[in-house]
């Protein structure tokens, strides 16, 4: 079975490639860490299955899917962004399965096998299919803990930046590499999710952080993240990175 892997995180990409190469039933015919190279590679190699993240540089996952014939290739989406809209849109475009990061690659193999050779479902819940639209517990748990952290810091839901920060922190918790692409990846993804613009997303996040910082001179943020007492207010990317790292401890 020919498989093509597409993920912006090169560590994840390498790990998945090695994993599938150890499987007798799979032949990894190509990999890519950005949407444009991925699209060209898929068209050239004509794999049976594509495993791809939605967060990609150059051309995002939905952009790649739009330019593929989903009747001739089985697309398995992996993503840290779990929402009804995103999952529904993926399925409407012909995606066969949506798996929420982090996941066990062995389960992904089973789902690929189930879809290509329908068999008894093992009953494990790690993602969504067109016939079984579900929410993933660990994603909900992450949002719960992120919400509590933001509340503790003084960033409340009445601030627009609250929702944007929660989504941004979730993304970075699932794929730490994208903290280096706040402008190119995180803000555009937030803009799509909340029907706004990347510039407004950036401003709203900055305003939320400023509001919290000015409330007590930065004492709470400094204490929670164990920053030096002389620290300046964190930038958006610094705050998102600090929050993601704090919650992963």
């Amino acid at each position: 079975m020919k498989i093509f892997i597409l993920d912006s995180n090169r560590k994840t990409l390498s790990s998945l490639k090695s994993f599938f190469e150890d499987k007798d039933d799979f032949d990894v015919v190509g990999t890519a860490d950005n949407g444009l190279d991925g699209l060209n590679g898929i068209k050239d190699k004509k794999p049976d299955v594509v495993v791809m993240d939605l967060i990609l540089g150059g051309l995002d996952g939905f952009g790649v899917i739009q330019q593929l014939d989903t009747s001739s290739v089985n697309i398995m989406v992996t993503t840290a962004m779990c929402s009804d809209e995103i999952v529904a849109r993926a399925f409407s475009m012909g995606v066969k399965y949506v798996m929420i990061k982090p996941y066990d690659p062995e389960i992904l193999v089973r789902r690929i096998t189930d879809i290509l050779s329908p068999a008894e479902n093992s009953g494990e819940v790690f993602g969504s299919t067109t016939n079984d639209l579900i929410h993933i517990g660990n994603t909900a748990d992450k949002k719960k803990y992120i919400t509590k952290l933001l509340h503790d810091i003084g960033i409340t839901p009445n601030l627009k930046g609250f929702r944007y920060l929660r989504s941004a922190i979730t993304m970075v918790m699932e794929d730490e590499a994208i903290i280096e692409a706040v402008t190119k990846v995180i803000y555009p993804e937030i803009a799509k999710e909340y029907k706004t613009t990347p510039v407004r997303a950036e401003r709203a996040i900055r305003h939320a952080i400023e509001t919290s910082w000015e409330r007590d001179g930065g004492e709470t943020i400094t204490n929670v993240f164990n920053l030096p007492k002389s620290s300046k207010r964190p930038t958006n990317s610094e705050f998102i990175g600090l929050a993601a790292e704090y919650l992963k401890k």
Side-chain angles (χ1 to χ4, degrees):
M1 188 184 304
K2 296 188 294 183
I3 187 168
F4 194 101
I5 308 169
L6 187 52
D7 199 296
S8 61
N9 186 322
R10 293 185 180 181
K11 184 177 179 180
T12 299
L13 194 63
S14 176
S15 177
L16 275 178
K17 182 175 183 290
S18 297
F19 173 80
F20 279 107
E21 284 178 337
D22 287 338
K23 299 291 182 183
D24 293 335
D25 295 335
F26 290 93
D27 176 19
V28 179
V29 296
T31 64
D33 61 6
N34 69 83
L36 292 174
D37 287 346
L39 178 62
N40 291 331
I42 293 166
K43 289 183 175 180
D44 178 49
K45 301 295 184 180
K46 295 179 173 53
D48 301 304
V49 178
V50 174
V51 175
M52 61 179 292
D53 198 347
L54 290 177
I55 301 175
L56 301 167
L59 182 67
D60 70 12
F62 285 128
V64 172
I65 297 167
Q66 278 181 329
Q67 298 187 54
L68 294 175
D69 178 5
T70 54
S71 66
S72 62
V73 61
N74 296 282
I75 300 176
M76 310 294 192
V77 161
T78 64
T79 180
M81 301 175 64
C82 180
S83 73
D84 286 344
E85 289 184 3
I86 289 173
V87 174
R89 182 181 178 192
F91 289 143
S92 72
M93 296 173 71
V95 169
K96 295 294 192 301
Y97 193 78
V98 176
M99 179 161 278
I100 311 304
K101 289 184 173 181
Y103 59 86
D104 182 345
E106 291 288 354
I107 303 299
L108 178 60
V109 168
R110 291 184 211 171
R111 296 300 174 259
I112 292 173
T113 303
D114 287 346
I115 287 170
L116 298 186
S117 303
E120 286 295 317
N121 191 298
S122 66
E124 289 139 325
V125 178
F126 283 82
S128 303
T129 67
T130 50
N131 297 318
D132 185 20
L133 188 58
I134 59 175
H135 289 291
I136 307 304
N138 60 8
T139 298
D141 287 343
K142 285 184 179 67
K143 288 187 176 180
K144 179 177 69 176
Y145 287 117
I146 294 169
T147 296
K148 184 179 184 305
L149 174 63
L150 294 177
H151 271 289
D152 291 345
I153 287 174
I155 297 176
T156 52
N158 63 301
L159 296 170
K160 273 188 178 180
F162 174 88
R163 293 180 301 160
Y164 302 165
L165 270 170
R166 188 169 60 182
S167 293
I169 295 167
T170 300
M171 282 188 267
V172 175
M173 286 182 70
E174 303 291 358
D175 183 356
E176 61 185 18
I178 65 171
I179 192 62
E180 299 174 5
V182 174
T183 302
K184 293 183 177 180
V185 177
I186 294 179
Y187 295 152
E189 288 297 331
I190 290 173
K192 289 179 184 177
E193 184 177 1
Y194 294 102
K195 295 180 174 59
T196 184
T197 66
V199 171
R200 288 175 178 169
E202 185 278 329
R203 288 175 181 170
I205 289 175
R206 177 157 41 88
H207 173 69
I209 297 170
E210 287 175 348
T211 299
S212 172
W213 186 268
E214 293 171 2
R215 184 172 55 87
D216 61 4
E219 183 177 350
T220 300
I221 291 178
T222 298
N223 290 338
V224 169
F225 293 142
N226 195 29
L227 301 175
K229 296 299 181 183
S230 58
S231 295
K232 296 181 180 179
R233 174 176 57 81
T235 63
N236 288 8
S237 59
E238 287 171 346
F239 183 93
I240 293 166
L242 286 167
E245 191 62 32
Y246 175 85
L247 289 164
K248 287 170 69 175
K249 290 179 181 179

